[in-house]
Structure formats: C-alpha cells, structure tokens
Amino acid sequence: MELFIDRSIPAPTVQACAEEVLAVVPSIMSTFRTEMRAHRPTELSLPQFRVLIFLNRHVGASVSAVAEHVGLALSSTSQLLDGLMKRGYVTRDTAAADRRRATLSLTTLGQATLESARVHARARVEEHLSLLSEDERRAVTASMLALARAFDPSTACG
Amino acid sequence: MELFIDRSIPAPTVQACAEEVLAVVPSIMSTFRTEMRAHRPTELSLPQFRVLIFLNRHVGASVSAVAEHVGLALSSTSQLLDGLMKRGYVTRDTAAADRRRATLSLTTLGQATLESARVHARARVEEHLSLLSEDERRAVTASMLALARAFDPSTACG
DNA sequence: TATTGTTATACTCTATAACTATA
DNA sequence: TATAGTTATAGAGTATAACAATA
C-alpha cells in the first residue's frame, strides 16, 4: 500500500523543506491579501483582520498583548488600532487597576464585520482547498499544527 | 503501526483545514518579515526578495511578467522595481524587438544581495523547521506542493 | 526608574486613475 | 485602437526615536 506520507523514501532534508516553505507561503499570502481586499462590504487588511480575531477572543486585551500576538512593534499596533477605532470596530478604555494600560474590545459593528470577513475569507480558502484530495487535507492540517508550533510556540495551543 | 497520516480517522473537513491555514500562514509570514527586516547587511522587504528571485530565474523578464508572478498591479511592480534599480540591484533596458517592453536583469550586486538574503532567510526557516520530526517534515513538504497547486496552479510546477 | 502607550517622522507597499510611448 | 509601462496621488503598514503618563 502506497502511503501519501511514504516512510520508505528518505524524509526531505530540513533545507529542502525550508526551500518549499519559503517559496509557497508568500505566494499563499499574496492570494489572501488580494482576496481580502476585494471583499468590498468589509475590506479589512490582513493585519486588521488578525487584530479583530485576537480581540474577539481576548476581550479587554492591552495594546501590548495585541502587538505581541500579531508580531508588530507597539507603535505600529497603536496605529493599526487607531484605524480600527476610527472605523468604529474597536473601543478603548483605561484599566482601573493600572491607568497606563488600555482595555480594548470589539464593538457590535466590529464583531459583525469580523464575522463577515471571516466567512468570506474562509470561503475563499475553502475554494482553493477543495482542489485537494482527502490525504492532502490530512497532510495540510497536520502541517499547519506542526508549523504553528515551529514558528510560534507560544500560540501553538491557544 | 500508527501513521503520522492516519487514514483510520476521518479526514479533516475542508472547513477545518481552511481554518488552520488561515490562522497559521499569516503568523508564519509575520515571522518571515520580521526576520528579513532584521538582516541588516541586506535588508530586503519580502516583495523585493521575491522579485529578485524571479528575475534571477527569468533573465530579461518584462515588468508585466514580474507583476503577474508576484501578484501585484503593474504600477505597484513598476515602483517596486524603481526601488530595486535605485539600489543598484536591477537594470532595465528596452527590448529591441518591441520598444515598449522592458528587459529586466539583476546586476552583480543584485545577485550577491539575493544570495545573501536567501542564505539568511533559509537559515532562519531551517531553525524553525529543525523543531519538527521527520514525519512532520514529510507532511510539510507534501503540503507545500499541494498548496502551491491549490493556490497558484500556474506556478505549481515552475 | 521602569512600564504602557502615543506621536513624529520616514520609508515601503499597494491601488486607481491619468498619462506617454510604441505597436 | 490596444499594449507596455510610468507618474500622480492617496492610504495602509511598519519601524525607530522621542515623548507623556502612570507605577
């Protein structure tokens, strides 16, 4: 029986694997960006989208927490949030316990926008993935978990 | 024998798979960008890096060809190329056969810069991937090929 | 003094629209 | 007229450095 993951041939070297990741991941991102941008009713940039996802799951998060999660400098994150507040997607309050700390939350509009963007993004990705076989989907899912662990150990299980 | 890709349990749905891809791929990109930017001697942006890779392989390419490959608008690509020419990485000539068409090539400096950036990027990615098991590398490599096909059929085998 | 965050400034990325030059 | 490409303009993303406020 020939397995999709065939252990009888040598595993790809780390180098070869890196080569593939380096070639393919940016090209997937290109597609994402273009498709997100084309979603007129919502039209969130990818970083904005990621911030909304994070805030939806971490109500009351600080600016620093967002920055760490999205992998941006604090100032960049602050500016990203400016944009999201200006559009009415996010509110910011001052934490009572520590008045330096901001408390960020999604507005109802922000939640609805996130949901719309998410449905759209997922649909686009699903369109692409529907070209894959079951075994390929198994491999992709397993890979994503492994890569999450390899590239971002902190959030691999959250 | 328990397989890494276990066919005895149902394959992930397209939806679940999309969810993972959507979560993990942008996070890998964040890491890429940060690491590319931190490579002081070279310090190419990711789009610049991708353009250099393409031109290295397709000597004499037109602006349109680059645009199509990196997934940008023609004008965006033209400007990206401006930056690369200003830094002396790329030369542009006019094609004799069709004087509208540009003929782009890497300079020696461009080639050297690309090589340096490439070595660095690969090393960073390898660092991350070295955390994976052999089976995980098999899955990742297989996935990248599948994803390349799913997201960009035109370049899947080029 | 250390931490949280914002503002100032500057550069890159990206698009659309208007344009030039060549075919 | 159609095609290849550039320029003008505008907005988002991103960083560093300097700053303000709070602890």
Side-chain angles (χ1 to χ4, degrees), chain A residues 27-47:
Chain A
S27 125
I28 297 176
M29 281 300 283
S30 268
T31 308
F32 275 12
R33 240 197 321 265
T34 303
E35 291 176 347
M36 288 285 299
R37 202 181 307 250
H39 182 46
R40 286 295 160 182
T42 302
E43 206 168 358
L44 290 171
S45 73
L46 220 24

Side-chain angles (χ1 to χ4, degrees), chain A residues 5 11 36 62 86 88 92:
Chain A
I5 298 298
M36 288 285 299
S62 66
K86 191 154 57 185
R92 100 185 304 144

Side-chain angles (χ1 to χ4, degrees), chain B residues 51-63 66 81 84-95 101-112 114:
Chain B
V51 168
L52 294 188
I53 290 173
F54 181 77
L55 288 181
N56 191 49
R57 198 174 298 192
H58 300 86
V59 179
S62 67
V63 180
V66 175
L81 287 165
L84 291 170
M85 286 187 287
K86 192 155 56 187
R87 295 200 204 181
Y89 297 159
V90 170
T91 57
R92 100 185 302 142
D93 290 297
T94 301
R101 199 180 161 297
T103 298
L104 302 163
S105 302
L106 294 191
T107 62
T108 306
L109 175 60
Q111 285 169 11
L114 170 59

Side-chain angles (χ1 to χ4, degrees), chain A residues 21-22 25-26 29 50 143-144 146-148 150-152, chain B residues 21 23-35 46 125 128-129 144:
Chain A
V21 171
L22 210 42
V25 168
M29 281 300 283
R50 295 184 70 208
S143 300
M144 289 301 133
L147 290 173
F151 278 84
D152 189 1
Chain B
V21 171
V24 175
V25 168
S27 128
I28 297 176
M29 282 298 285
S30 268
T31 308
F32 275 12
R33 241 197 322 265
T34 304
E35 292 176 345
L46 221 24
V125 174
H128 291 288
L129 295 184
M144 289 302 133

Side-chain angles (χ1 to χ4, degrees), chain A residues 100-120:
Chain A
R100 290 172 305 185
R101 199 179 162 296
T103 298
L104 302 163
S105 302
L106 293 191
T107 62
T108 305
L109 176 60
Q111 286 168 12
T113 302
L114 170 59
E115 192 49 28
S116 163
R118 191 177 240 160
V119 166
H120 176 261

